[in-house]
Amino acid sequence: MNSKGNILIVEDEFIVANDLRLMLQKAGYNICGIAASVVQARALIEKHNPEWVLLDIILKGDLSGIDLGKELMEKKVPFLYISANTNHRTLEAAKLTQPYGFLVKPFREKDLFVMLDIARYKHQTENVRLQREATVKADSNCLDSIIGTSPKTKELIEQIKIVAPSDTSVLITGESGTGKEMVAQCIHRLSPRANRPLVVVNCAALPLSLIETELFGHEKGAFTGATQKRTGRFEQADKGTIFLDEIGEMPPDAQVKLLRVLQEKEIERVGGESPVKVDVRIIAATNRQLEKEVAEGRFRLDLYYRLSIFPLELPPLRNRKEDIHALAHHFLRKYATKNNIPVEGISDNAMRELMAYDWPGNIRELEHVIERHVLLSTTHQIESIDMPATLLRETEIVQSGKLKTMEEVERDHIINALKAGKGKVSGPGGAAELLSMPAQTLYSRMKKLGIKQTFKG
């Protein structure tokens, strides 16, 4: 109940009703009316739509406060009983109407306001719960896009259900191809912000010189070429959600500005004279180990803590192989329908081949493999799987009897992919497709590892 909330008093004793009115008005509440009977109360409820009703049980006329309580319960109008009648049968009947409190006459002024505060809290809590349940029920189909019944998949779905209805920042981690953007979309669609924008930003694809203006916008004339005002991604996402993909690729200067947005809830346009308030939920994702990035000075510790209030780690497909059967058939149906190809199943032999592979590109790689085999299929089922050659053999991770560092392994892996793609990064047959990652992300990793695009097979 807000200050100056609209309250209807239903009380047949004029002196008691008037005392209630004076107490409540003194505390800042608005009294929309006083009724001595259920008939009078109905008329006032229809006319004023009160936020709360204070209801006596014994009223004038043939109907009691409990009769009106049943009607209020059905209309979802919150109410409290105020009565001197405390016999067991009456209390049991009153309880069935689900009031938000029961105040026994006579009472002190302090008791009234304590009861109102308790009722307000219970009502707000109930509203939040109902809103969450309605949101999850209305858009639970987005959870159907998370295919699989393995324990890890079930745990992920439960975590999404827990965090989605809140405004808590979420950090999604996992290897490339594990479905981080899909999970971010699902969190947004299950949140109270579902009807507002979800703005996706690939941090790895933002040119260093344009990061600030892309994220926060600029005013007309802020710099050479700024011929008109530009609205940044944060303002575009106002009242909604912003998904910062590949957050681990964000340079330190931009990290400082992002931290300020999280702390102050406001942005500053380039060339602007005053900050602009924004109401944005942050979901970030990375395939890098941010703890390692923090330890090596490439990622701010304070920003990491701000982003990782609720971390979600997506398991690689090799750690949830029991989901491969369901995923493969899901992609089979998707691409058979999309391309109008009568492929209906996967042979036992082909499924064994899918299960035996380690899937370095995770779900995205599996999807590409199934799509390719649907297009190539000449029968009603996929008979065998032509698996991609493993680009990096296990023996290659050892050099001169010593294990290579993760960056050395990653560098060699990318170089091998470039060789296999004949120097091409993006497009069909390019290294990005072979590695099952976005081309912009691969370009960013190549730059960071000092790899030049000079391979021709």
Side-chain angles (χ1 to χ4, degrees):
M1 187 185 308
N2 303 323
S3 61
K4 301 182 181 178
N6 226 17
I7 297 180
L8 172 66
I9 298 171
V10 185
E11 167 63 64
D12 66 332
E13 294 183 39
F14 174 77
I15 294 176
V16 175
N18 195 51
D19 285 346
L20 273 172
R21 178 181 64 80
L22 292 173
M23 278 189 276
L24 290 165
Q25 287 178 335
K26 181 181 175 183
Y29 296 109
N30 178 59
I31 307 304
C32 67
I34 296 176
S37 68
V38 171
V39 174
Q40 290 178 0
R42 286 171 178 164
L44 289 171
I45 290 168
E46 185 70 27
K47 182 178 180 180
H48 296 292
N49 190 26
E51 294 177 31
W52 285 83
V53 177
L54 298 184
L55 178 59
D56 192 6
I57 289 178
I58 306 300
L59 299 171
K60 291 181 179 177
D62 296 331
L63 299 174
S64 71
I66 292 176
D67 294 317
L68 181 59
K70 293 175 183 176
E71 296 177 18
L72 294 173
M73 178 179 67
E74 290 176 3
K75 292 181 178 179
K76 300 191 184 317
V77 178
F79 66 96
L80 300 91
Y81 285 117
I82 298 178
S83 179
N85 192 332
T86 58
N87 71 63
H88 181 71
R89 179 177 294 181
T90 300
L91 289 176
E92 286 299 310
K95 187 177 179 181
L96 293 175
T97 63
Q98 299 177 16
Y100 281 86
F102 197 112
L103 196 61
V104 179
K105 298 177 186 176
F107 54 83
R108 298 172 301 173
E109 185 173 335
K110 178 182 177 182
D111 296 332
L112 172 65
F113 293 116
V114 168
M115 179 62 71
L116 286 171
D117 285 340
I118 293 171
R120 176 179 59 185
Y121 174 77
K122 287 169 66 177
H123 183 56
Q124 288 173 341
T125 304
E126 178 71 6
N127 276 346
V128 169
R129 183 184 66 79
L130 291 173
Q131 183 182 42
R132 290 182 179 183
E133 288 180 359
T135 304
V136 170
K137 183 178 180 181
D139 207 4
S140 60
N141 63 327
C142 83
L143 291 172
D144 295 339
S145 62
I146 302 175
I147 308 297
T149 57
S150 68
K152 289 182 182 295
T153 302
K154 288 180 179 178
E155 181 183 358
L156 173 64
I157 290 172
E158 289 306 311
Q159 288 178 320
I160 290 172
K161 288 179 180 178
I162 290 168
V163 76
S166 71
D167 262 349
T168 302
S169 296
V170 180
L171 178 64
I172 307 171
T173 59
E175 296 176 5
S176 290
T178 49
K180 295 187 287 296
E181 183 170 344
M182 182 188 67
V183 169
Q185 290 172 347
C186 198
I187 291 171
H188 173 72
R189 289 170 60 189
L190 289 175
S191 77
R193 298 172 180 262
N195 294 325
R196 305 297 295 180
L198 169 65
V199 176
V200 179
V201 180
N202 186 341
C203 298
L206 292 176
L208 187 60
S209 59
L210 295 179
I211 285 179
E212 192 172 354
T213 186
E214 281 288 329
L215 293 180
F216 311 126
H218 64 247
E219 299 288 355
K220 181 179 179 180
F223 49 83
T224 303
T227 56
Q228 59 185 8
K229 175 183 169 182
R230 177 186 177 87
T231 302
R233 304 293 183 87
F234 272 88
E235 281 189 86
Q236 293 171 21
D238 191 38
K239 301 295 189 298
T241 306
I242 192 165
F243 175 49
L244 300 173
D245 198 10
E246 304 293 353
I247 189 72
E249 309 297 328
M250 184 173 279
D253 287 349
Q255 292 177 30
V256 173
K257 296 182 183 298
L258 175 59
L259 180 64
R260 184 180 182 280
V261 175
L262 290 171
Q263 291 173 333
E264 306 298 331
K265 308 293 184 186
E266 61 186 25
I267 56 102
E268 287 187 13
R269 301 190 194 106
V270 177
E273 295 182 356
S274 58
V276 178
K277 287 289 183 183
V278 289
D279 174 15
V280 176
R281 185 192 191 166
I282 307 282
I283 302 177
T286 181
N287 59 10
R288 305 198 64 74
Q289 295 181 357
L290 284 192
E291 296 92 339
K292 182 173 181 286
E293 298 294 304
V294 168
E296 295 179 0
R298 291 189 292 267
F299 203 84
R300 292 183 63 96
L301 178 63
D302 43 9
L303 178 58
Y304 170 69
Y305 282 131
R306 281 277 181 173
L307 292 172
S308 61
I309 295 172
F310 197 100
L312 278 178
E313 184 175 359
L314 307 194
L317 187 54
R318 62 183 173 275
N319 289 348
R320 45 176 286 212
K321 283 195 170 183
E322 55 264 63
D323 291 336
I324 289 176
H325 186 277
L327 284 163
H329 281 89
H330 168 74
F331 294 134
L332 175 77
R333 290 189 294 270
K334 175 181 175 180
Y335 290 106
T337 302
K338 179 180 178 181
N339 296 287
N340 196 26
I341 297 174
V343 185
E344 299 171 357
I346 301 172
S347 72
D348 291 343
N349 178 61
M351 186 58 68
R352 281 193 294 270
E353 291 176 316
L354 293 175
M355 296 294 289
Y357 186 60
D358 266 352
W359 301 106
N362 294 294
I363 298 171
R364 189 186 295 126
E365 184 181 11
L366 174 62
E367 180 175 5
H368 291 169
V369 166
I370 296 299
E371 180 183 11
R372 183 166 65 250
H373 283 77
V374 166
L375 294 173
L376 293 173
S377 179
T378 56
T379 65
H380 287 291
Q381 72 173 359
I382 297 174
E383 299 292 348
S384 64
I385 301 291
D386 179 22
M387 298 305 302
T390 304
L391 294 171
L392 185 64
R393 304 296 176 187
E394 185 179 353
T395 54
E396 292 175 332
I397 66 172
V398 178
Q399 187 175 48
S400 303
K402 179 175 127 181
L403 278 173
K404 292 183 180 181
T405 66
M406 287 300 294
E407 286 200 353
E408 287 172 336
V409 171
E410 183 180 11
R411 189 174 190 279
D412 290 346
H413 198 43
I414 291 173
I415 289 172
N416 285 335
L418 286 166
K419 287 179 179 178
K422 298 188 176 173
K424 191 164 66 169
V425 175
S426 58
E433 183 183 86
L434 293 172
L435 294 170
S436 296
M437 67 166 53
Q440 291 291 351
T441 301
L442 181 55
Y443 277 120
S444 174
R445 297 306 307 146
M446 288 168 61
K447 182 178 178 181
K448 192 165 189 178
L449 296 167
I451 300 171
K452 296 182 179 178
Q453 191 179 348
T454 57
F455 302 95
K456 300 295 179 185

